[in-house]
């Protein structure tokens, strides 16, 4: 027994020593749009890898773009990292578009899998400004301007509006930023500028030929083999990569990051906003129902949280709220569709204006579905009003006119009649006999005016 225990201890120690000899590096997945939740996840994992003194980090990229603020946070984390961050656009068919291009150019080693792309890094205004500046500077020539105001003063016309001036500043700032990242890593800064100015894109092989990325690797094994022995400069100095005995550990977002990513998805946030407005409106129409109000309040607060994290145009959000209020007002004010049509128009335009950032736009299918639903609700409200307008009044004195009644006794001018099971005082211009069928012609106070029921008149 002692021999067996000793052998087990030796085997365990040997396995532990073997595992210790193999270094473990994390592979951080940057999938989907670049947003606040994604940025927090990537930054936390890079910092954790630095704290564990990992040999390097692989940042696997597949993104259509996202928010400039979140992208800059990730870039700052990469630049401040003491260990190399390897950017790898993978798997095949993936892309590092828009914000992903900046992140890839910021990494210490930029790699791409075959059949992947990068580029199209032009910033997009929420207001829908043109994606290309009016000065249309050369895409291939160097752009040494670092100050947006200086660039504008050299090329802009005197009558340019504030929106165009702001647009030029935004593009020039993005050009200066992406050039600085490319130059820091010794990559093609001129092409990087063209990715911003003219939304240029490249495939993996062409990107390698133009010195936009460092290498093309078909698989993770090929990537590690190509990295072995490469020396890179980090925030703490030069590091030589040794990848011969490296074991890669994939890291995916935790449940919190996934939940926040779903909540901050523009389409989900838009639906939460609509549910919140409709829920509060339903609670106002039916006070005490509780459930619509509770669901609406929670949805609206969650939508506000998402909007705070997203590049939302407040004008679009205000138009959506106005549209819902106008459609609801149609149920109280019989405008026969005027308010409702205005509400649908405000809802549609507000939805289209809500956001216009690549990777952060609301699904057009959802917008059209919501608009059609609003039109259907409006048509139902108008139909109900029209129906009520042509429906006979059933209550009050107006509801008694035309009703049938029966004489309780013989009388010539005044007497009593049975009406709705009640005895009413009646007046008539012609004599009536007991149990004769009569019809009410008008009502004065508590007196009904009746006449004999025509034999051709059908009973009600």
């Amino acid at each position: 027994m002692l021999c067996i225990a000793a052998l087990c201890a030796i085997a365990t120690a040997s396995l532990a020593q073997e595992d210790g000899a193999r270094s473990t590096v994390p592979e951080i997945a940057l999938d989907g749009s670049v947003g606040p939740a994604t940025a927090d996840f990537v930054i936390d994992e890079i910092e954790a890898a630095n704290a564990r003194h990992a040999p390097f980090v692989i940042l696997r990229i597949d993104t259509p773009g996202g928010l400039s603020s979140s992208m800059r946070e990730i870039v700052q984390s990469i630049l401040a990292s003491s260990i190399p961050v390897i950017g790898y656009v993978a798997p095949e068919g993936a892309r590092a578009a828009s914000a992903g291009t900046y992140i890839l150019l910021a990494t210490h080693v930029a790699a791409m899998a075959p059949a992947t792309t990068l580029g199209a890094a032009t910033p997009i205004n929420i207001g829908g400004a043109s994606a290309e500046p009016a000065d249309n500077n050369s895409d291939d020539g160097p752009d040494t301007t670092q100050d947006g105001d200086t660039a504008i003063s050299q090329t802009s016309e005197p009558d340019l509006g504030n929106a165009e001036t702001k647009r030029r500043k935004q593009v020039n700032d993005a050009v200066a930023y992406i050039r600085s990242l490319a130059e820091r890593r010794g990559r093609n800064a001129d092409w990087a500028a063209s990715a911003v100015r003219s939304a240029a894109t490249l495939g993996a092989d062409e990107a390698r030929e133009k010195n936009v990325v460092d290498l093309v690797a078909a698989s993770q094994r090929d990537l590690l083999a190509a990295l072995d022995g490469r020396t890179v400069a980090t925030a703490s100095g030069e590091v030589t990569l040794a990848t011969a005995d490296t074991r890669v550990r994939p890291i995916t977002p935790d449940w919190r990051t996934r939940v926040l990513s779903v909540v901050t998805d523009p389409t989900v946030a838009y639906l939460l906003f609509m549910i919140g407005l409709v829920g509060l409106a339903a609670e106002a129409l039916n006070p005490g129902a509780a459930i619509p109000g509770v669901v609406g309040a929670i949805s609206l607060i969650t939508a506000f949280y998402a909007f705070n994290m997203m590049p939302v145009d407040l004008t679009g959000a205000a138009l959506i709220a106005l549209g819902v209020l106008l459609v609801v007002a149609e149920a109280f004010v019989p405008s026969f569709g005027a308010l409702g049509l205005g509400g649908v128009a405000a809802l549609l335009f507000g939805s289209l204006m809500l956001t216009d950032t690549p990777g952060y736009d609301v699904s057009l299918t959802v917008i059209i579905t919501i608009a059609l639903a609003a039109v259907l609700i409006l048509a139902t409200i108008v139909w109900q009003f029209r129906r009520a307008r042509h429906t006979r009044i059933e209550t009050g004195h107006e509801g008694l006119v035309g009703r049938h009644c029966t004489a309780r006794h013989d009388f010539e001018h005044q007497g009593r009649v049975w009406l709705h099971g009640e005895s009413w005082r009646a007046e008539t211009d012609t004599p009536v006999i007991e149990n004769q069928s009569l019809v009410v012609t008008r009502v004065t106070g508590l007196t009904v005016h009746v006449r004999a029921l025509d034999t051709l008149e059908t009973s009600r």
Side-chain angles (χ1 to χ4, degrees):
M1 293 294 294
L2 291 176
C3 292
I4 294 176
L7 290 174
C8 290
I10 293 172
T12 303
S14 177
L15 291 174
Q17 184 177 3
E18 183 179 352
D19 278 344
R22 297 184 63 192
S23 57
T24 301
V25 297
E27 182 189 62
I28 306 172
L30 176 54
D31 294 327
S33 299
V34 178
T38 305
D40 289 344
F41 164 68
V42 172
I43 293 171
D44 290 346
E45 293 301 330
I46 291 177
E47 292 177 350
N50 277 270
R52 294 193 302 266
H53 302 288
F56 58 91
V57 173
I58 298 177
L59 180 61
R60 183 179 57 76
I61 303 173
D62 182 10
T63 176
L67 306 185
S68 174
S69 57
S70 299
M71 173 270 292
R72 288 177 180 262
E73 292 176 0
I74 295 176
V75 168
Q76 290 171 4
S77 177
I78 294 172
L79 297 178
S81 175
S82 299
I83 63 175
V85 178
I86 313 302
Y88 184 37
V89 185
E92 294 186 7
R95 56 180 170 167
S98 191
T101 302
Y102 295 81
I103 295 172
L104 181 64
L105 293 179
T107 57
H108 300 88
V109 178
M112 299 176 68
T116 58
T117 59
L118 83 161
T122 306
I124 301 296
N125 271 343
I126 296 174
S130 173
E132 185 176 351
D135 58 342
N136 197 20
N137 287 351
S138 173
D139 296 338
D140 298 326
D143 181 1
T144 58
T145 301
Q146 298 297 319
D147 185 2
D149 291 330
T150 303
I152 294 168
S153 65
Q154 294 172 350
T155 59
S156 60
E157 298 294 334
D159 59 348
L160 284 178
N162 291 333
E164 181 63 21
T165 301
K166 182 178 179 181
R167 180 62 185 165
R168 289 175 180 269
K169 289 183 177 182
Q170 185 182 32
V171 172
N172 285 327
D173 175 71
V175 168
Y177 186 60
I178 201 168
R179 284 187 65 90
S180 67
L181 295 176
E183 290 170 352
R184 181 179 178 86
R185 303 303 183 196
R187 298 178 186 131
N188 191 335
D190 293 339
W191 181 89
S194 71
V196 175
R197 292 199 180 279
S198 58
T201 59
L202 288 176
D205 294 331
E206 192 176 4
R208 177 66 188 91
E209 292 174 1
K210 292 188 175 183
N211 191 32
V212 178
V213 298
D214 302 306
L215 55 95
V216 176
S219 64
Q220 189 182 92
R221 179 181 299 177
D222 294 342
L223 175 65
L224 294 177
L227 292 175
D228 195 32
R230 182 183 289 265
T231 300
V232 297
T234 67
S236 61
E238 291 189 348
V239 175
T240 300
L241 299 173
T243 61
D245 295 318
T246 299
R247 181 166 57 92
V248 177
R249 178 171 60 91
I251 298 178
T252 55
D254 57 8
W255 68 269
R256 177 181 177 276
T257 303
R258 290 195 295 268
V259 170
L260 292 180
S261 296
V262 171
V263 170
T264 54
D265 180 89
T267 302
V268 175
Y270 171 73
L271 290 175
L272 288 173
F273 188 55
M274 295 299 301
I275 292 173
L277 293 176
V278 173
L280 293 182
E283 182 68 25
L285 291 173
N286 300 279
I291 293 180
V294 171
V295 173
I298 294 175
S299 300
L300 200 58
I301 293 174
T302 306
F304 285 155
Y305 167 81
F307 286 169
N308 185 54
M309 298 289 184
M310 294 163 48
V312 172
D313 190 336
L314 296 181
T315 303
L319 282 174
I320 293 174
L322 177 63
V324 173
L325 291 177
L326 289 177
V327 173
V328 172
E330 184 68 43
F332 295 94
V333 181
S335 65
F336 296 97
L339 290 176
L341 288 176
V344 172
L347 185 63
L348 183 60
F349 285 118
S351 301
L352 295 174
M353 294 169 55
L354 189 62
T355 179
D356 190 23
T357 299
Y360 267 77
D361 48 350
V362 180
S363 170
L364 185 60
T365 302
V366 173
I367 293 176
I368 294 176
T369 302
I370 294 293
L372 291 177
V375 171
L376 181 61
I377 293 173
L378 174 62
T380 302
I381 293 174
V382 172
W383 178 74
Q384 291 287 354
F385 274 131
R386 181 178 178 84
R387 181 183 178 187
R389 186 181 180 89
H390 293 86
T391 300
R392 177 185 176 84
I393 299 176
E394 301 291 340
T395 59
H397 287 175
E398 293 84 355
L400 295 177
V401 176
R403 296 296 182 180
H404 294 177
C405 56
T406 304
R408 295 186 58 185
H409 54 80
D410 298 342
F411 62 90
E412 292 186 0
H413 297 292
Q414 293 185 345
R416 310 291 294 187
V417 296
W418 289 110
L419 177 61
H420 284 177
E422 300 172 338
S423 177
W424 283 72
R425 185 171 57 193
E427 292 184 354
T428 182
D429 296 331
T430 58
V432 299
I433 60 175
E434 184 179 358
N435 294 328
Q436 183 178 355
S437 295
L438 308 171
V439 62
V440 178
T441 57
R442 58 189 175 91
V443 181
T444 305
L446 298 178
T447 302
V448 295
H449 299 264
V450 298
R451 63 174 175 81
L453 181 63
D454 192 346
T455 55
L456 297 179
E457 183 176 354
T458 59
S459 60
R460 291 176 55 86

